[in-house]
Amino acid sequence: MSESLTKEEIKAYRVQGFSCAGCAKTFENNVKKLQGVEDAEVNFGASKVYVQGHITIEELEKAGAFENLKVRDENEPKAEHIPFWKHKENIKVYIALILLVASWFLGNQLGEEHPLPTIGYAASILIGGYTLFIKGLRNLSRLQFDMNTLMTIAVIGAAIIGEWMEGATVVILFAISEALERYSMDKARQSIESLMDIAPKEALIRRGNKETSIHVDNIQVGDIMIVKSGQKLAMDGLVVKGTSTLNQAAITGESVPVTKTVDDEVFSGTLNEEGLLEVRVTKRVEDTTLSKIIHLVEEAQAERAPSQAFVDKFAKYYTPAIVILAMLIAVIPPLFVGDWSTWIYQGLAVLVVGCPCALVVSTPVAVVTAIGNAAKNGVLIKGGIYLEETGNLKAIAFDKTGTLTKGIPAVTDIVTVNGNENELLTITAAIEKGSQHPLASAIIRKAEEKGLNFNDVSMKEFQSITGKGVKAKINNELYYVGSPSLFEELHNQIKTNLKEKMTHLQTTGKTVMVLGTETEILAFIAVADELRESSKAVISKLNHLGVETVMLTGDNQRTAKAIGQQVGVSDVEADLLPEDKLTFIKQLRGKHQHVAMVGDGVNDAPALAASTVGVAMGGAGTDTALETADIALMSDDLNKLPYTIQLSQKAMAIIKQNITFSLAIKAVALLLVVPGWLTLWIAIFSDMGATLLVTLNSLRLLRIKK
């Protein structure tokens, strides 16, 4: 919907029964004309209609009566699943088919001249094509040429020239083709429909001393939710009591359970596998992570891919061109060779073969299927355009901290020069306790792991030395903690053997912090941001896929180069400020055109925005990542990246196959006009066959797994 409309002004409804994008557009136009409606927009991929204004479901269903559409409130549960073969719209096809077979049998028994078979064929045409004719004639009166118009002209024309049986066959095969389209789109949408059923609709809530089962719509922020072993969480929240393992596959796509304890964030739709948890609700049901995922994926399905825009534009000119071609075939040859009946028949066959069903459905089914599959595997793709762009990527830039690395510095080496290791670490931790430096936390954590009582150490005259370190007095001794350059200033130079050890640690990607006095160095501690276990394998896979990989970091060149070599990236860019990252992304786009940036979605926002595709890590629970990125990896798992690229490349290949096949099969069928071999049978089978193969080809995307 238009961005100017507020959330409160718009009401969303789910629609069942769309068979094609054209029908969705007709429904949208019908709804816009209803009294009380200011604006309306249909999302064909998600099968939803957004209405601004006051309207009833009965009025909406009346607007969709031409397609027998069923409408329900967005939050209303689905009606009981009806098997495909039992759908009401398919029953008339069965009746028409029985009449066709019976008429053919009577024609063989009574002879072709007998009126009874013709009456049977006419009844079959009317019953099977009733809705088709209404839509086709209405469009014809407005000079709108879509597939319904083409089929209506072809069937009526076949009846006029006496080809009753072929006219009835065309009607039935077209109805079957539409039913298969409807089935394939429903199948593609099922991945999203299944997400909606993940979270329970009620939860056990404690208010005061009373525990009650309450519907999620009535649960308030701050309520205490009790989740027993084997139950799914209905709401997002923070654990206030208990420890358990949760299966978060529905949100992050990872099937390995995660341990959750007090103060940990938990998400609706996840499964509590072991203990009893008490969770303080932090979001209303419409704001939960699962609700956001469903909303974003449904919006993504409405975003048209560039190839879809091409198909829509092509079909706009293609369909009228087919009508003109059919008229020329029906009229011009008989002027020279006579035999009007034969050439009119050929013209009608051209109308049928020209029906753009397969072409129109070639892209949306593939896009909806791929986006749905990605969502089930913990990857949010914001639209068809990003799906296509990801399939075309030539380079990926990675932020280092928190993306290729864990983002949590850890002490890797403690080298003592003079004194006891634990005593020196206690002094260092006591001084760093007052520091704001990010590496200080690593030293404090190490001291805590060793059980050292650094909090009991009395410290005086603490002072920060900007950009170099800190100093403080302990037991009347002045100690310094800082970079090697600080001690080069204090001591004029560092002993050669110590400098060599420090340099060696730095070349392996570690940051060295030194503890000493004004006269001597007592110890030095190496701190490193640990690599993610998956980083090296992921970079290797991406290089194998032919994608250039670049690491961007604010770290010094030596540390950055060491980490870059460890993970195997093609290029390393160090000492970068946020604006430098932005400049580099622009340069990379100038070189490759299709470039992705992978970051945390907060610090890297400018670079993410400047790239062709911005990919945010750890989208679960991070609203910023979900909102700013074009693609969000719901877990902190880089392995999702090669999967996303492979899925996108496969989707691109399938879309190209679909478009090529749709056009090729029509071109071959049209060439049969030259020797006069094109029949209505061949025409409808080529159209229906193409539609069926295109949809089945698209549904192959459901099989791609991480």
Side-chain angles (χ1 to χ4, degrees), residues 409-658:
V411 172
T412 56
D413 304 86
I414 301 173
V415 180
T416 56
V417 180
N418 183 11
N420 176 275
E421 180 180 304
N422 283 353
E423 284 178 11
L424 295 174
L425 183 59
T426 303
I427 291 168
T428 310
I431 295 170
E432 286 289 16
K433 191 174 63 173
S435 170
Q436 298 298 314
H437 196 280
L439 298 179
S441 58
I443 291 170
I444 291 165
R445 271 197 303 275
K446 187 69 176 177
E448 286 172 344
E449 282 173 23
K450 288 191 152 207
L452 305 176
N453 296 321
F454 61 91
N455 287 311
D456 298 337
V457 175
S458 178
M459 180 180 64
K460 297 176 183 175
E461 299 176 28
F462 176 86
Q463 189 182 338
S464 177
I465 307 165
T466 308
K468 293 174 184 175
V470 292
K471 65 179 180 178
K473 269 190 178 180
I474 294 174
N475 297 330
N476 290 322
E477 179 81 56
L478 183 62
Y479 290 96
Y480 290 82
V481 178
S483 62
S485 60
L486 170 65
F487 284 85
E488 283 186 342
E489 287 180 19
L490 286 170
H491 303 165
N492 293 324
Q493 62 176 28
I494 299 172
K495 288 180 183 177
T496 307
N497 64 324
L498 293 181
K499 194 161 186 175
E500 282 176 358
K501 285 180 182 178
M502 290 179 194
T503 305
H504 173 70
L505 288 169
Q506 286 173 329
T507 54
T508 58
K510 297 169 184 177
T511 301
V512 175
M513 298 172 73
V514 183
L515 169 70
T517 65
E518 289 181 317
T519 56
E520 66 174 330
I521 288 175
L522 301 172
F524 50 93
I525 299 167
V527 177
D529 185 1
E530 290 181 272
L531 280 179
R532 291 181 186 274
E533 292 81 357
S534 57
S535 292
K536 193 172 180 180
V538 166
I539 297 297
S540 174
K541 282 178 191 172
L542 293 174
N543 291 336
H544 185 69
L545 287 169
V547 178
E548 183 184 335
T549 50
V550 183
M551 185 181 84
L552 309 181
T553 179
D555 256 356
N556 65 74
Q557 185 69 43
R558 187 183 287 166
T559 303
K561 193 175 178 183
I563 290 173
Q565 285 176 343
Q566 284 179 53
V567 293
V569 290
S570 317
D571 189 19
V572 173
E573 295 292 325
D575 297 310
L576 299 179
L577 297 169
E579 54 266 34
D580 298 329
K581 289 184 182 180
L582 178 63
T583 305
F584 183 77
I585 289 291
K586 287 179 179 175
Q587 289 172 358
L588 208 56
R589 278 193 73 171
K591 180 182 173 185
H592 290 295
Q593 287 189 307
H594 303 284
V595 176
M597 169 72 191
V598 185
D600 62 9
V602 184
N603 304 332
D604 304 304
L608 285 169
S611 60
T612 323
V613 181
V615 182
M617 291 278 290
T622 313
D623 290 348
T624 314
L626 289 178
E627 298 301 328
T628 58
D630 304 317
I631 294 176
L633 310 181
M634 298 307 290
S635 66
D636 276 338
D637 183 8
L638 270 178
N639 282 307
K640 300 278 174 68
L641 200 55
Y643 153 77
T644 307
I645 291 172
Q646 285 171 321
L647 176 71
S648 300
Q649 288 176 343
K650 189 74 176 173
M652 281 292 295
I654 281 176
I655 287 168
K656 286 174 184 171
Q657 288 165 14
N658 287 351

Side-chain angles (χ1 to χ4, degrees), residues 71-109:
V71 181
R72 71 178 195 273
D73 190 276
E74 183 183 27
N75 299 315
E76 191 181 318
K78 283 185 294 180
E80 193 180 341
H81 177 70
I82 302 168
F84 175 68
W85 59 275
K86 279 188 179 179
H87 287 186
K88 272 184 184 177
E89 52 267 35
N90 294 340
I91 292 170
K92 63 182 181 184
V93 182
Y94 306 146
I95 297 167
L97 184 59
I98 291 165
L99 283 169
L100 173 66
V101 173
S103 302
W104 175 80
F105 184 77
L106 284 171
N108 285 344
Q109 296 296 315

